[in-house]
Amino acid sequence: MSISELAGIDVPTGMLIGGEWTKGAATFPVIDPATEEPLAEVADGTVADALDAVGAAQAALPGWAATPPRQRAEVLRKAFELMTARAEQFARLMSAENGKSLRDARGEAAYAAEFFRWYAEEAVRVEGTLLRAPSGANRIITLHQPIGVALLITPWNFPAAMATRKIGPALAAGCPVVLKPAEDTPLTALALAGLLSEAGVPDGVVNVVTTASPAPVVSAMLADPRVRKLSFTGSTEVGKVLLGQAAQQVISSSMELGGNAPFIVFEDADIPAAVEGALIAKMRNGGEACTAANRFYVHQAVADEFVAAFAARMRALVVGPGLDEATELGPLVNEAARAKVAGLVDDATGHGAALVTGGRKPDRRGYFYEPTLLDAVPADAGLLGTEIFGPVAPVVRFSDEADAVRWANATEFGLVSYVYTDDLRRGLRVAEALETGMVGLNRGLVSDPAAPFGGVKQSGLGREGGHDGLLEYTETKYIATDW
Ligand code: NAD
């Protein structure tokens, strides 16, 4: 069965450059992580293809920037409607190429479409200011102009949402884009590009370059002075490399990088609610989320109760291919990801952590790993300092609020943290003290297209979503005037 038949929509396998679908000189395979079999062959874009895409975007810039905001909004609104109508097909496509359960994939399809709706609404609200200079001598006008051609680089864990979270605001602001999706999951990006063309996006405004060699292709685009914006979502390691390259042309850079989220449960928390929140924060997307709870700090007075209830829920999760309706946990994206997770668990138990449930690769084809809970994890276990990116929950017990906050902050990452307490004063005090860009207070999920998503420290620069996400694709111009 072809990937288009499997998903139930047309899934292109060529690149979209300047409104033309091009096959490219070579191809690379996309693998189904549940079967380890190839799903499709996708165009392997070269440096020349990438520079053609930048040229097409640059040629489309004046027209798109001058398009009335209402018209841009209506194209995005149409994209929202098309994606909502095809949510099930997009869910199947993501499940096939990423491995995630259909339940997670359906959630992502809806979430991804919401970025088109939100930015359709924001496109008409790019406001400036007018004020009188303090001296009284003149007026100060500010306006936000489209920044120019934007290079968007996305990871494999949310193949649709990470793309729409960038394309939505870029198009709303008047910027054409070149999207370079992750090589593990390029098909969703290509299907999205087809959908955007159908929604009325003019030729050259959205270009997609797929490649199995991201390093030279991305470097060439960042060395091209026509690129004025880089929006990257991926690992901190690659983000640092790209920031260095962007610096050569002083390209404005938004970075959504890795996380190491603490999940703190205080003794006054509603424990059943904390367990529900933990399950979402840890197991949504099989733990392959930058927002995934990575370390559970649980007050010793409630730790036995929390661990027992959390372990029961983890044990009961149905593991299987993402496309099976009953599946709650699909495979990891590839063998390297599974080997990393298995290595971290072995290291933790080797250092004395107690294995409560899981800890094994199921005996079947596909990159599966059991839902795993570790208790009494010692401070020197590698997984407390590493982004696990898999279905593994390490629990550390604490007895003092100050210790919990100090341990939570003892990381170079700062994307999100979670706090469970029924004492609002404590909740807000701890939320203020945590060094993260976002906090879930009695919630295991923070992502929302209307909210500014992003991290501090080595988790990133800038924000996506909300109004802030739109401003990332604009430059502020100041005009001093007399009248
Ligand atoms: P990755 O950094 O390996 O890859 C991300 C993207 O960069 C891909 O498109 C890849 O092809 C490209 N890339 C890889 N090496 C490159 C290079 N040398 N030069 C140019 N481009 C290169 O990350 P990943 O494994 O795809 O995704 C997982 C990471 O993404 C995790 O660290 C996760 O936390 C992070 N992430 C962050 C957010 C966020 O919003 N903060 C969201 C999702 C994922």
Side-chain angles (χ1 to χ4, degrees), residues 91-92 94-96 98-108 283-286 288 318 320-331:
R92 290 183 65 77
M94 285 189 274
S95 195
N98 165 282
K100 64 178 70 189
S101 69
L102 267 179
R103 165 188 313 214
D104 280 331
R106 287 179 182 131
E108 181 179 353
M283 297 305 289
R284 189 172 68 99
N285 221 44
E288 292 176 312
V318 178
L323 285 166
D324 281 5
E325 201 61 58
T327 292
E328 293 172 297
L329 175 64

Side-chain angles (χ1 to χ4, degrees), residues 238-258:
V238 174
K240 286 180 188 177
V241 171
L242 299 189
L243 270 174
Q245 295 178 9
Q248 302 310 308
Q249 303 282 345
V250 194
I251 293 173
S252 161
S253 301
S254 302
M255 294 274 151
E256 296 289 354
L257 307 177

Side-chain angles (χ1 to χ4, degrees), residues 153-158 162 165 180-183 214-215 218 232-236 238 241-242 256-259 289-290 387 389 415 453 459 464:
I153 302 177
T154 50
W156 48 262
N157 61 342
F158 291 101
M162 297 303 97
R165 193 162 80 173
K180 209 261 355 122
E183 50 278 29
V218 169
F232 172 80
T233 299
S235 60
T236 297
V238 174
V241 171
L242 299 189
E256 296 289 354
L257 307 177
C290 52
E387 193 176 29
F389 240 59
L415 188 60
F453 184 106
S459 285
E464 292 193 305

Side-chain angles (χ1 to χ4, degrees), residues 12 17 43 284 296 365 392:
I17 299 176
R284 189 172 68 99
F296 291 81
R365 210 165 156 74
V392 176

Side-chain angles (χ1 to χ4, degrees), residues 56-70:
Q58 178 69 22
L61 173 62
W64 186 245
T67 300
R70 173 73 77 210

